[in-house]
Amino acid sequence: MKRIAVLTSGGDAPGMNAAIRAVVRNGIYHGLHVFGVYRGYTGLIQGDFKELSVGSVGDVIQRGGTILYSARCDEFRTEEGRQQAVEQLRKHQIDGLITIGGDGTFQGAKKLTELGFPTIGVPGTIDNDINGTDYTIGFDTAINTVIDAIDRIRDTATSHERTYIVEVMGRDAGDIALLAGLAGGAESILIPEVNSSLEEIIARLKHGADRGKKHSIIIVAEGVGSAVDIGRQVQKATGFETRITVLGHVQRGGTPTAFDRVLASRMGAKAVDLLLSGKKDMMVAIRNNEVLGIDFDEANSQKHHLDLSNHHLASILSI
């Protein structure tokens, strides 16, 4: 193996640049030529390749987003599109590919391996919803962004004696809502993995008010429903003044935390090591602080499971 390529695909996540940096520099350290593919699978099909040097990834470890850009590509979902991607890889004499992204990125990577092209995946998504790994790149930064927002919102909630509903990302997975809610002292945390009734939420709010509590914060994962709708129902049922905050894409941006920088560096370097050792159908994962490779099938075929004991703990601590 002499020439490898790296791309980022799907939603951006803080720490992706640190992973790209690790791929490039570990590859060069081992005597490889490393190419960046711009704009994900779209760039793969269009042949948007550029060789990267040590200096190409200087001063990026602290930056959010991705210097290789990202795009969603419907064309890659077709067999013809994937064939074109492989042809471009062969044309540029690429021997192995590293893809950084989430579940959609890995499904695409798996398709490339089925066409005989060696591909390694690095999990980069703020949702932390990839099976087989304890953490994904960007998750730690995202929850810290949410916690910072919760702390700021709590200041004004206390001052005005209000209830705040805070909507966070998490269409299918409640990891961000759960851990940020636990760390931020939220009174209720609504996640897709747990059925929480409106009656239960209202009862908790009234119980808090009865013991003299002046404000409350409820965290809602977007997959549960609209914070606006929930807020209207809460205010109607309780009479408490209620405000809504939808954090949106602010959760994806920002400087990656030290944890995400280290995780991304370890995972990016490991991806190169896996290619050099002859692996071609794997995802990098971290389990019990050990970085290792697992089969794409394990990552793609099973649903990510959230540790719901933290949800029970949050309920206990917010009485």
Side-chain angles (χ1 to χ4, degrees):
M1 187 161 291
K2 297 180 180 179
R3 296 158 68 96
I4 66 172
V6 57
L7 64 79
T8 52
S9 177
D12 62 301
M16 280 184 166
N17 285 327
I20 295 166
R21 174 180 179 269
V23 169
V24 172
R25 294 193 170 181
N26 194 35
I28 292 173
Y29 175 82
H30 284 94
L32 301 175
H33 293 275
V34 184
F35 291 77
V37 181
Y38 287 82
R39 296 174 181 83
Y41 289 123
T42 297
L44 198 61
I45 292 172
Q46 295 175 352
D48 194 358
F49 293 62
K50 178 182 178 181
E51 185 167 7
L52 302 176
S53 66
V54 170
S56 299
V57 290
D59 197 31
V60 303
I61 195 171
Q62 80 281 7
R63 291 170 55 186
T66 163
I67 60 171
L68 294 179
Y69 307 113
S70 184
R72 304 191 187 278
C73 182
D74 291 334
E75 188 177 359
F76 190 78
R77 298 176 185 273
T78 68
E79 185 175 347
E80 181 182 1
R82 293 190 292 271
Q83 288 288 354
Q84 290 177 6
V86 172
E87 288 172 8
Q88 288 287 358
L89 288 163
R90 301 297 187 199
K91 176 182 176 181
H92 288 82
Q93 299 178 309
I94 304 299
D95 302 309
L97 176 67
I98 294 172
T99 62
I100 305 170
D103 54 355
T105 301
F106 290 167
Q107 290 170 19
K110 176 63 178 178
K111 293 293 186 182
L112 290 176
T113 66
E114 291 172 354
L115 293 173
F117 199 86
T119 307
I120 302 294
V122 175
T125 168
I126 67 168
D127 292 327
N128 203 48
D129 59 351
I130 303 297
N131 184 60
T133 184
D134 293 341
Y135 298 104
T136 59
I137 297 167
F139 173 64
D140 186 71
T141 304
I143 61 173
N144 276 283
T145 297
V146 174
I147 291 167
D148 181 65
I150 291 172
D151 291 345
R152 294 169 186 268
I153 289 168
R154 189 177 294 281
D155 289 343
T156 192
T158 303
S159 299
H160 293 274
E161 299 180 311
R162 289 171 176 163
T163 296
Y164 269 80
I165 315 290
V166 181
E167 183 180 308
V168 302
M169 284 186 167
R171 185 175 63 251
D172 301 310
D175 296 60
I176 294 175
L178 179 53
L179 292 196
L182 176 59
E187 279 65 36
S188 293
I189 303 170
L190 309 186
I191 57 177
E193 294 86 349
V194 176
N195 291 323
S196 300
S197 67
L198 182 63
E199 291 75 17
E200 178 185 351
I201 298 167
I202 291 169
R204 293 179 69 84
L205 289 173
K206 289 183 175 180
H207 174 74
D210 289 343
R211 70 174 178 83
K213 194 163 191 174
K214 301 300 184 182
H215 70 277
S216 293
I217 292 180
I218 299 170
I219 307 298
V220 180
E222 62 181 337
V224 173
S226 166
V228 174
D229 293 339
I230 294 171
R232 287 173 181 158
Q233 295 177 67
V234 166
Q235 180 161 322
K236 181 178 180 180
T238 63
F240 300 157
E241 190 174 2
T242 305
R243 293 291 185 272
I244 311 301
T245 298
V246 179
L247 294 183
H249 286 80
V250 69
Q251 296 161 87
R252 280 194 185 167
T255 301
T257 60
F259 181 89
D260 271 330
R261 297 185 201 191
V262 172
L263 177 65
S265 297
R266 295 177 69 190
M267 285 185 161
K270 183 65 174 181
V272 174
D273 293 342
L274 288 172
L275 281 177
L276 287 172
S277 65
K279 305 299 182 184
K280 59 180 181 179
D281 185 13
M282 303 192 83
M283 178 194 87
V284 180
I286 184 167
R287 295 177 178 174
N288 299 318
N289 203 35
E290 179 186 1
V291 176
L292 68 163
I294 65 172
D295 291 338
F296 270 136
D297 286 338
E298 181 178 351
N300 289 333
S301 64
Q302 300 180 43
K303 182 177 174 61
H304 159 74
H305 294 288
L306 181 62
D307 182 2
L308 295 180
S309 66
N310 284 325
H311 192 270
H312 179 60
L313 176 62
S315 297
I316 293 173
L317 299 183
S318 62
I319 59 172

